């Protein structure tokens, strides 16, 4: 008799029943995410690098703010400068383009965006989370973008729940500890 133990959002083990005089469990199988790429939250990236990482490390989800973030990032192309007004919660960003530096648009950046990054087993529907979306100029006055986790780690609990549901569906007779 074996049971599944969900250690966290990136690790599941299959263990035996208690055996021996010391009453220990043997790990039969370990499934874990190793060396998989994740978005570097809290780091600022130039527009192109941000867009590449964003496209490859987030689920394209029409129900969340994926399109908004990509549209905003694409406005910050070469020859762009920005003027920001930042009160720590919301950011107003003026986008200027060209040699004359004419103000093309000024908009408030959504301070919190809902997105679905890849962070757990790919067989599962990835948990959606809230992120703080920020823009700033680097030392060379080039616009950079960053995402900061803003859900307090709640996505990890949701991921563990989804792992348990997945295992329960695939192996209904298996006891699961999450």
């Amino acid at each position: 008799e074996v049971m599944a133990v969900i250690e966290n959002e990136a690790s599941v083990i299959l263990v035996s029943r208690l055996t021996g005089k010391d009453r220990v469990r043997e790990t039969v199988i370990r499934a874990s995410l190793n060396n998989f790429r994740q978005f570097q939250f809290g780091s600022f990236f130039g527009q192109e690098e941000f867009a590449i990482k964003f496209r490859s490390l987030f689920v394209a989800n029409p129900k969340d703010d994926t399109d908004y973030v990509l549209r905003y990032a694409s406005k910050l192309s070469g020859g762009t400068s920005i003027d920001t007004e930042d009160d720590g919660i919301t950011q107003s960003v003026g986008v200027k383009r060209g040699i004359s530096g004419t103000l093309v648009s000024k908009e408030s950046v959504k301070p919190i965006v809902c997105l679905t990054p890849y962070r757990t087993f790919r067989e599962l529907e990835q948990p959606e989370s809230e992120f703080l979306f920020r823009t700033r100029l680097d030392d060379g006055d080039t616009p950079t973008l960053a995402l900061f986790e803003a859900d307090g780690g709640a996505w990890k609990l949701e991921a563990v729940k989804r792992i348990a549901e997945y295992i329960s569906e695939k192996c209904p007779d298996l006891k699961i500890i999450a």
Side-chain angles (χ1 to χ4, degrees), residues 28-140:
V28 179
I29 298 173
R30 175 178 298 277
S32 58
L33 292 173
N34 293 321
N35 301 321
F36 76 103
R37 290 182 43 221
Q38 268 193 315
F39 190 87
Q40 294 169 311
F41 299 108
S43 298
F44 282 86
F45 299 101
Q47 181 266 344
E48 184 177 13
E49 185 179 6
F50 179 88
I52 291 168
K53 288 179 183 289
F54 189 83
R55 282 245 184 232
S56 62
L57 300 174
F58 284 77
V59 176
N61 188 346
K63 298 181 292 182
D64 65 18
D65 292 316
T66 300
D67 289 341
Y68 169 79
V69 170
L70 285 171
R71 269 195 321 275
Y72 181 82
S74 70
K75 290 180 183 180
L76 303 176
S77 58
T80 300
S81 66
I82 59 173
D83 295 321
T84 62
E85 297 170 19
D86 191 343
D87 64 8
I89 299 169
T90 59
Q91 237 183 356
S92 291
V93 179
V95 178
K96 295 180 182 180
R97 285 205 175 98
I99 296 170
S100 67
T102 306
L103 187 64
V104 174
S105 65
K106 185 168 185 167
E107 63 182 87
S108 290
V109 178
K110 280 175 101 171
I112 300 289
V113 291
C114 288
L115 300 167
T116 311
Y118 290 109
R119 295 185 284 192
T120 188
F121 295 97
R122 300 305 185 259
E123 296 83 359
L124 306 174
E125 181 180 342
Q126 300 295 306
E128 183 179 276
S129 302
E130 291 186 339
F131 297 89
L132 186 62
F133 185 37
R134 308 303 285 165
T135 305
R136 74 175 184 198
L137 295 173
D138 67 9
D139 294 338

Side-chain angles (χ1 to χ4, degrees), residues 132-175:
L132 186 62
F133 185 37
R134 308 303 285 165
T135 305
R136 74 175 184 198
L137 295 173
D138 67 9
D139 294 338
D141 285 338
T142 304
T144 59
L145 302 122
L147 291 167
F148 296 84
E149 292 181 284
D151 75 347
W155 73 270
K156 292 179 182 183
L157 298 174
E158 182 62 27
V160 167
K161 178 181 157 201
R162 290 181 185 184
I163 293 167
E165 289 169 353
Y166 180 85
I167 294 171
S168 181
E169 179 185 309
K170 299 295 181 187
C171 305
D173 297 332
L174 189 63
K175 183 175 180 182

Side-chain angles (χ1 to χ4, degrees), residues 4-48:
V5 178
I6 303 166
E7 296 181 311
N8 56 45
E9 74 284 353
S11 180
V12 178
I13 57 174
L14 200 59
V15 296
S16 68
R17 63 179 176 199
L18 294 171
T19 59
K21 67 178 184 167
D22 294 332
R23 308 291 293 161
V24 294
R25 296 185 190 277
E26 177 186 356
T27 299
V28 179
I29 298 173
R30 175 178 298 277
S32 58
L33 292 173
N34 293 321
N35 301 321
F36 76 103
R37 290 182 43 221
Q38 268 193 315
F39 190 87
Q40 294 169 311
F41 299 108
S43 298
F44 282 86
F45 299 101
Q47 181 266 344
E48 184 177 13

